[in-house]
Amino acid sequence: MKDTRFARFVVIVNGAVPLALLCWDAYRHQLGANPVNFAIRTTGMMTLILLPLSLLVTPVKKLTGWNWLFPFRRTLGLYAFFYACCHFTLFFGLDQSFDVSRTIGEMVKRPYLVVGSIGLLCLIPLALTSTKNAIKRLGSKRWQALHRLAYVAAVAGVVHYYMLVKADVRQPIAFAVVVTLLLGFRIVDAVRRRAARESKISAA
Ligand code: HEM
C-alpha cells in the first residue's frame, strides 16, 4: 500500500489555510465593511467546496484503482464538517448573538437558513461515525447506508447557496452540475453492479 502520510499532511495543512488566513485578516481588521458576513460566507464556501471534494474520492478511486485515496475521503469530509460548524457558529454567535428565538425568527424569514441547517444536521452523524470503531460497531452495510447522508448534505448546501444568491446564479449552478455528476456516477455504478450481480446469478 502506497505511503500517503505526506500527501495527507499536505491535505490537512491546506485544509487549515483558509481559516488561518481568515483569522489573520480578522486580526488585522481586513475583512471589509461587514467582517462577520465575510467570515460566514468564507466558511460557507469552504464547506461547499470540501463536500464535493470528499464525494469525488470514491469515483476517482474506482476509475483509477488508486485505493490509497480512500483515507482522504474522511479527512476532506471532517474538514467539511469543521467548516460547516464554524459557518453556523459565526452566524448563530456573532450575527445572532446566540439568541435562539431571534435565530428561529430569522430562519422563518429566510428559508435558505432551514435548508442550510438540513445540510449541517446531515453532517453530524457522519462526523460522529467517521472512526474505524464506528464502522466496526455499525457494520459496513449500515455504515455505508448512513453515509449516503453526505449526498443529502451536498444537495442541501447547493440549494442553500442557490436560494441565498440574489442575482448571479452561475456559481450555485456550477456547484449543482458538479454534485449532479458525482451523484450520477454513483447511480450508474450501482446499476452496473446490480446488473453484473444479476447476470452472475442467472448464469449460475
Ligand atoms: C452543509 C451546510 C452548509 C453549506 C454547504 C453552506 C454554504 C454556504 C455558502 C456557499 C454560502 C455563500 C457564500 C458566498 O456568498 O460566497 C453561505 C452563506 C450563508 N450561510 Fe450557509 N451553508 C451551510 C449551512 C448553513 C447554516 C446551518 C446556516 C445557519 C443556520 C447558514 C447560514 C448562512 C448565512 C447567514 C449566509 C450568508 C448569507 C448572505 O450573505 O446573505 N448556512 N452558506
Side-chain angles (χ1 to χ4, degrees):
M1 181 74 156
K2 191 177 164 70
D3 184 355
T4 60
R5 278 174 297 176
F6 180 69
R8 287 182 66 196
F9 171 74
V10 170
V11 170
I12 290 169
V13 169
N14 278 288
V17 167
L19 188 73
L21 288 176
L22 190 64
C23 294
W24 176 240
D25 285 345
Y27 172 71
R28 298 182 311 143
H29 303 290
Q30 300 274 328
L31 295 182
N34 190 343
V36 174
N37 183 261
F38 184 89
I40 292 174
R41 291 173 55 201
T42 305
T43 49
M45 192 49 81
M46 283 310 301
T47 312
L48 198 55
I49 290 169
L50 287 158
L51 269 176
L53 272 180
S54 73
L55 292 175
L56 186 62
V57 173
T58 303
V60 173
K61 186 179 73 96
K62 289 202 169 172
L63 293 171
T64 59
W66 294 348
N67 292 334
W68 54 269
L69 274 179
F70 198 66
F72 290 87
R73 193 174 72 165
R74 180 168 176 266
T75 313
L76 293 165
L78 285 175
Y79 255 128
F81 177 66
F82 170 71
Y83 276 103
C85 291
C86 295
H87 183 57
F88 175 72
T89 308
L90 286 164
F91 170 73
F92 181 50
L94 299 186
D95 195 65
Q96 301 296 310
S97 318
F98 295 105
D99 184 331
V100 176
S101 58
R102 184 175 151 197
T103 306
I104 293 170
E106 279 301 311
M107 291 175 109
V108 172
K109 264 192 282 171
R110 301 191 263 168
Y112 73 80
L113 295 175
V114 177
V115 178
S117 302
I118 293 169
L120 177 59
L121 289 173
C122 288
L123 294 176
I124 296 171
L126 304 187
L128 293 176
T129 56
S130 62
T131 60
K132 285 201 179 94
N133 265 345
I135 301 175
K136 261 194 221 129
R137 256 199 334 271
L138 280 171
S140 74
K141 252 208 153 115
R142 280 196 301 169
W143 187 88
Q144 274 173 8
L146 177 71
H147 278 251
R148 288 198 188 114
L149 282 178
Y151 317 147
V152 182
V155 172
V158 171
V159 174
H160 165 76
Y161 186 24
Y162 183 87
M163 289 170 74
L164 72 90
V165 164
K166 313 251 169 358
D168 188 356
V169 291
R170 283 177 295 175
Q171 272 201 333
I173 287 179
F175 277 103
V177 170
V178 170
V179 170
T180 307
L181 287 173
L182 290 168
L183 294 185
F185 176 93
R186 279 169 172 78
I187 294 167
V188 171
D189 186 54
V191 170
R192 267 221 200 111
R193 275 186 287 121
R194 178 180 288 186
R197 259 199 319 274
E198 280 163 7
S199 67
K200 227 187 204 166
I201 294 167
S202 58

